[in-house]
């Protein structure tokens, strides 16, 4: 057994041992607590945990700041209370409350999640204020500041739950269900897509991820968790009032997640425990209680910015051997890059594309025919519009005029994830990996655009979902082997050497099974040996029938591998032809080099 496998086996053994110990401790915990007050506090902490685990979908996985959990918690609580007070069973009222809350989150999320930056944070703060005002002032329905009393207790198999002990095990089961679903989603294509868009939204888009839909799904899941927690809350305390569902409570939920560790279900557990127990532990300080509580929270955020859960990652960090950036070219790569069409047929047709940024014309009526099965290079000085051209082809920019068609299908105006699904993929000038994911998971994100499994398949663990996961893992492993990174599959993408990260981007792009692969300066930062191996890799990709559009400053690489070259200058295409034709073109020599000579040096 290799050292890495032995280490993984030890970690699995330790995880199972700690899990068994944790389960045993949870089962006996309420029997070790004599005070009814502390038992109630533990139960309320379990309800908070469900809210925080839900928040982790949109804030932890997707990286979107959400201060609406308290409002969604309140909606779930009030809908459940109102329905059960009308005589409806708790088991019917709870799903209705969850659906109503999910619909409310859709109404809020559809206009805001299409925008980036902090629009969701501002929208949810306003939404929270509106919800609390409605709960406070709609007295005929909500009871106003007096709230709703006498909410029926929860019935289970004809038996009414009573006392803190019975509710503890009931709530613990709900927490286990919520955590189990969260872990299942995290290990699925949806979870990987969520984290991918958090790390790099545009890179996720060009891999076929519909980032708006993924964010909406995460937002709805978060709200449903909060609604379920609200229903459980009113079934437990048999009373609800609006003062509990304030923005201050939303900030507390957010703090629990941040302190525990965003993006981690375990972090959500730790953060909830810390901020539930800490105030009680400090109450003996009386007037100094809030001061030291605030200082403690600030210190945790300053010294553990990735949350308390990051301590475990630091403890298990081990020294790794020097990374190896070898490129291995395998002969059987049909699954990585299948042949698409006969060489020479125009696969991408660009006509009169113009891209303006205010008064700056970045692309000036650029036209180009890219033939299938060829390597078509685009070169030019810095600022000549090369990367802008790739952005226009992949939907990152929408040109003001022109046309880009792939086999007769118009691409301009199409969203990046749809273009990716039509077989146009790319890498980036500045590496855009999903650093929170492993190398294997990075490549699996690229395969998700071909996946047919639904959220229900993932939650139910259907055969289709299991088969797809197995298939994606196998194909991703092949893609990593193709670029020479098979032994780095389990490594975090951010821990790889620079040249390896370049190769990983190529593997991820190939995982979408493109007909056209756009490479934006893939040799940047590579030494001569690494660049030579990259040439072998690009040639192997071309031999499998994938058309390559190459933007590169390494002129030796470009002239040695390209079938055709287009030259840009100030957003215009000034020349096009074979490498020999371009090297001898006086306009290219003057505009590109500014002096007489052949274009063979690095530029």
């Amino acid at each position: 057994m290799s050292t890495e496998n032995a280490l993984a086996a030890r970690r699995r053994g330790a995880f199972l041992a700690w899990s068994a110990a944790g389960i045993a401790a949870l089962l006996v915990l309420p029997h070790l607590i004599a005070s009814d007050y502390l038992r109630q506090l533990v139960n309320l902490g379990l309800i908070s945990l469900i809210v925080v685990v839900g928040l982790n979908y949109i804030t932890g996985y997707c990286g979107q700041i959400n201060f609406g959990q308290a409002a969604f918690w309140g909606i779930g609580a009030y809908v459940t209370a109102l329905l059960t007070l009308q005589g409806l069973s708790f088991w019917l009222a709870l799903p209705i409350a969850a659906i109503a809350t999910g619909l409310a989150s859709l109404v809020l999320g559809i206009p805001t999640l299409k925008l980036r930056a902090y629009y969701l944070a501002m929208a949810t703060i306003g939404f929270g204020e509106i919800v609390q005002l409605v709960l406070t002032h709609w007295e005929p329905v909500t009871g106003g500041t007096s709230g709703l009393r006498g909410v029926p207790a929860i019935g289970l198999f004809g038996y009414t739950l009573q006392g803190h002990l019975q509710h503890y095990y009931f709530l613990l089961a709900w927490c286990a269900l919520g955590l189990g679903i969260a872990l299942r989603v995290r290990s699925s294509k949806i979870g990987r897509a969520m984290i991918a868009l958090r790390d790099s939204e545009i890179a996720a888009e060009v891999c076929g991820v519909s980032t708006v839909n993924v964010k909406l799904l995460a937002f709805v899941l978060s709200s449903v968790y909060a609604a379920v927690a609200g229903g459980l809350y009113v079934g437990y305390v048999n009373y609800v009032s609006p003062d509990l569902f304030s923005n201050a409570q939303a900030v507390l939920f957010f703090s629990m997640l941040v302190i525990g560790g965003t993006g981690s279900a375990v972090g959500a557990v730790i953060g909830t425990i810390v901020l539930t127990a800490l105030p009680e532990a400090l109450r003996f300080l009386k007037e100094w209680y809030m001061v030291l509580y605030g200082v403690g929270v600030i210190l945790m955020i300053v010294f553990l910015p990735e949350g308390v859960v990051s301590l475990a990652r630091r403890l298990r960090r081990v020294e790794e051997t020097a990374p190896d950036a070898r490129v291995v070219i395998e002969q059987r790569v049909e699954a990585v890059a299948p042949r698409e069409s006969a060489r020479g047929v125009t696969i991408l047709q660009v006509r009169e594309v113009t891209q303006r940024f205010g008064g700056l014309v970045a692309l000036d009526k650029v036209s180009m025919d890219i033939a299938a099965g060829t390597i078509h290079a685009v070169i030019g000085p810095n600022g000549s519009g090369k990367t802008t051209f790739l952005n226009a082809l992949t939907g990152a920019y929408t040109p003001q005029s022109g046309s880009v068609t792939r086999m007769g299908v118009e691409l301009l105006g199409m969203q990046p994830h749809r273009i990716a699904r039509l077989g146009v993929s790319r890498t980036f000038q500045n590496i855009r990996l999903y650093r929170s994911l492993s190398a294997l998971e990075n490549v699996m994100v690229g395969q998700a655009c071909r996946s047919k499994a639904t959220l229900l398949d993932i939650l139910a663990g259907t055969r289709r979902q299991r088969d797809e996961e197995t298939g994606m893992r196998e194909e991703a492993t092949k893609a990593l082997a193709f670029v020479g990174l098979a032994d780095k599959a389990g490594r975090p993408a951010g821990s790889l050497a620079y040249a390896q990260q370049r190769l990983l981007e190529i593997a991820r792009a190939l995982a979408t099974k493109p007909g056209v692969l756009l490479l934006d300066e893939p040799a940047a930062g590579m030494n001569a040996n690494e660049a030579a191996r990259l040439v072998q890799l690009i040639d192997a990709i071309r031999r499998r029938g994938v058309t390559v559009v190459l933007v590169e400053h390494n002129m030796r690489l470009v002239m040695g591998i390209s079938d055709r070259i287009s030259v840009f200058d100030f957003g215009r295409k000034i020349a096009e032809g074979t490498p020999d034709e371009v090297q001898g073109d006086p306009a290219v020599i003057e505009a590109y080099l500014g002096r007489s000579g052949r274009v063979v040096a690095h530029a």
Side-chain angles (χ1 to χ4, degrees):
M1 181 182 293
S2 67
T3 303
E4 190 170 336
N5 289 337
L7 182 60
R10 287 200 298 272
R11 286 176 179 171
R12 284 194 297 270
F15 173 77
L16 291 174
W18 279 105
S19 297
I23 292 171
L26 288 171
L27 292 176
V28 301
L29 176 63
H31 299 283
L32 302 177
I33 301 174
S35 166
D36 280 343
Y37 169 73
L38 290 180
R39 285 181 176 176
Q40 183 183 47
L41 182 66
V42 170
N43 287 347
L44 293 176
L46 291 175
I47 293 171
S48 295
L49 175 59
I50 296 172
V51 181
V52 177
V53 171
L55 179 62
N56 193 47
Y57 284 108
I58 186 66
T59 297
Y61 292 162
C62 292
Q64 307 295 306
I65 298 176
N66 170 27
F67 290 116
Q69 282 298 86
F72 294 132
W73 186 33
I75 293 172
Y78 268 89
V79 171
T80 304
L82 288 167
L83 292 176
T84 53
L85 284 169
Q86 295 299 317
L88 195 66
S89 165
F90 170 83
W91 296 103
L92 291 176
L94 188 65
I96 292 173
I99 292 170
T101 308
L103 291 174
S105 68
L106 269 180
V107 172
L108 178 63
I110 287 174
T112 55
L113 288 172
K114 291 181 179 179
L115 305 172
R116 298 182 185 180
Y118 299 101
Y119 291 102
L120 182 65
M122 293 185 288
T124 50
I125 289 172
F127 179 73
E129 289 291 339
I130 292 170
V131 168
Q132 192 170 36
L133 285 172
V134 170
L135 296 179
T136 301
H137 296 288
W138 198 11
E139 293 188 17
V141 175
T142 66
T145 55
S146 298
L148 299 173
R149 301 177 183 275
V151 178
I154 299 170
L156 184 64
F157 302 119
Y159 180 80
T160 301
L161 294 178
Q162 297 178 346
H164 301 305
L165 186 62
Q166 292 179 4
H167 279 94
Y168 170 81
Y169 289 111
F170 180 70
L171 294 172
L172 185 64
W174 277 98
C175 287
L177 176 63
L179 282 167
I181 291 173
L183 292 172
R184 175 164 286 184
V185 170
R186 166 59 185 86
S187 62
S188 72
K189 67 167 187 176
I190 293 176
R192 291 189 293 270
M194 290 177 180
I195 295 172
L197 73 87
R198 180 191 70 191
D199 288 355
S200 177
E201 190 162 336
I202 184 59
E205 279 276 355
V206 301
C207 279
V209 175
S210 176
T211 55
V212 172
N213 289 343
V214 170
K215 285 187 285 187
L216 275 174
L217 176 59
F219 195 42
V220 171
L221 283 172
S222 293
S223 70
V224 167
Y225 269 66
V228 169
L232 295 172
Y233 173 80
V234 297
Y236 172 49
V237 301
N238 311 122
Y239 167 75
V240 62
S241 65
D243 57 297
L244 189 61
F245 311 113
S246 65
N247 276 332
Q249 184 66 37
V251 172
L252 178 60
F253 289 143
F254 187 84
S255 300
M256 287 176 173
L257 182 61
V258 171
I259 287 173
T262 57
S264 167
V266 175
V269 175
I270 294 173
T272 304
I273 292 173
V274 169
L275 289 195
T276 300
L278 189 61
E280 297 304 317
L282 295 177
R283 285 194 187 279
F284 73 95
L285 296 171
K286 297 181 180 178
E287 64 267 17
W288 288 98
Y289 149 68
M290 287 303 295
V291 174
L292 290 181
Y293 173 66
V295 170
V297 170
I298 291 171
L299 288 176
M300 280 189 282
I301 292 174
V302 169
F303 291 103
L304 291 172
E306 296 180 355
V308 177
V309 75
S310 65
L311 284 173
R313 289 196 292 267
R314 294 182 186 182
L315 291 174
R316 69 169 182 258
R317 188 173 295 159
V318 295
E319 293 295 327
E320 296 178 346
T321 57
D324 181 4
R326 289 177 299 173
V327 179
V328 179
I329 309 300
E330 292 196 346
Q331 296 302 314
R332 294 196 65 216
V333 292
E334 289 85 353
V336 177
R339 297 183 184 276
E340 183 178 277
S341 58
R343 180 167 177 167
V345 175
T346 298
I347 195 172
L348 205 62
Q349 187 178 70
V350 182
R351 290 290 179 268
E352 300 287 312
V353 170
T354 299
Q355 176 72 61
R356 297 187 186 90
F357 300 103
L360 174 66
V361 181
L363 294 175
D364 188 3
K365 295 183 178 180
V366 172
S367 295
M368 192 181 304
D369 287 331
I370 298 170
T374 64
I375 298 175
H376 193 125
V378 178
I379 65 173
N382 288 330
S384 60
K386 303 183 300 296
T387 296
T388 300
F389 179 65
L390 297 191
N391 287 336
L393 296 184
T394 54
Y397 296 157
T398 302
Q400 283 74 26
S401 63
S403 173
V404 177
T405 58
R406 162 144 161 70
M407 307 298 286
V409 179
E410 179 61 56
L411 301 185
L412 287 195
M414 193 176 287
Q415 294 176 316
H417 69 273
R418 296 190 181 278
I419 294 175
R421 291 171 185 176
L422 289 174
V424 179
S425 192
R426 70 171 294 183
T427 65
F428 293 87
Q429 181 180 0
N430 298 315
I431 297 173
R432 294 179 182 268
L433 293 175
Y434 317 129
R435 297 180 177 275
S436 303
L437 298 177
S438 68
L440 184 69
E441 288 178 314
N442 264 261
V443 180
M444 291 176 74
V445 171
Q447 293 179 314
C449 65
R450 310 294 177 192
S451 172
K452 302 299 182 185
T454 65
L455 176 62
L456 291 178
D457 287 321
I458 292 168
L459 296 181
T462 63
R463 183 180 181 85
R464 177 167 72 168
Q465 192 271 337
R466 294 195 304 271
D467 290 345
E468 274 199 357
E469 278 291 310
T470 300
M472 284 193 290
R473 188 170 294 273
E474 290 174 353
E475 298 300 312
T477 301
K478 290 180 183 179
L480 287 174
F482 180 62
V483 300
L485 296 178
D487 59 334
K488 305 294 186 286
R491 297 275 186 90
S495 72
L496 299 180
Y498 183 84
Q500 292 174 335
Q501 292 185 22
R502 288 280 180 193
L503 297 175
L504 179 56
E505 262 204 325
I506 294 174
R508 184 183 66 191
L510 288 173
T512 66
K513 296 189 177 180
V516 181
L517 176 62
L518 314 179
L519 301 178
D520 196 353
E521 299 193 29
M526 290 187 176
N527 60 37
N529 289 333
E530 291 166 344
R533 292 169 183 147
L534 177 65
V535 168
Q536 297 175 7
L537 178 61
I538 295 173
D539 185 59
I541 293 170
R542 186 258 304 275
R543 284 189 278 108
R544 299 314 308 167
V546 177
T547 304
V548 178
V549 178
L550 174 66
V551 169
E552 183 54 64
H553 280 290
N554 185 330
M555 289 299 102
R556 294 187 188 277
L557 186 154
V558 169
M559 296 300 168
I561 197 173
S562 301
D563 298 300
R564 196 162 184 82
I565 299 174
S566 297
V567 185
F568 284 14
D569 190 32
F570 293 107
R572 295 181 295 110
K573 188 181 77 172
I574 62 170
E576 186 173 88
T578 66
D580 287 339
E581 290 170 345
V582 166
Q583 287 186 90
D585 192 313
V588 175
I589 294 170
E590 181 179 354
Y592 192 80
L593 295 179
R595 59 181 174 80
S596 181
R598 292 181 67 79
V599 189
V600 293
H602 289 273

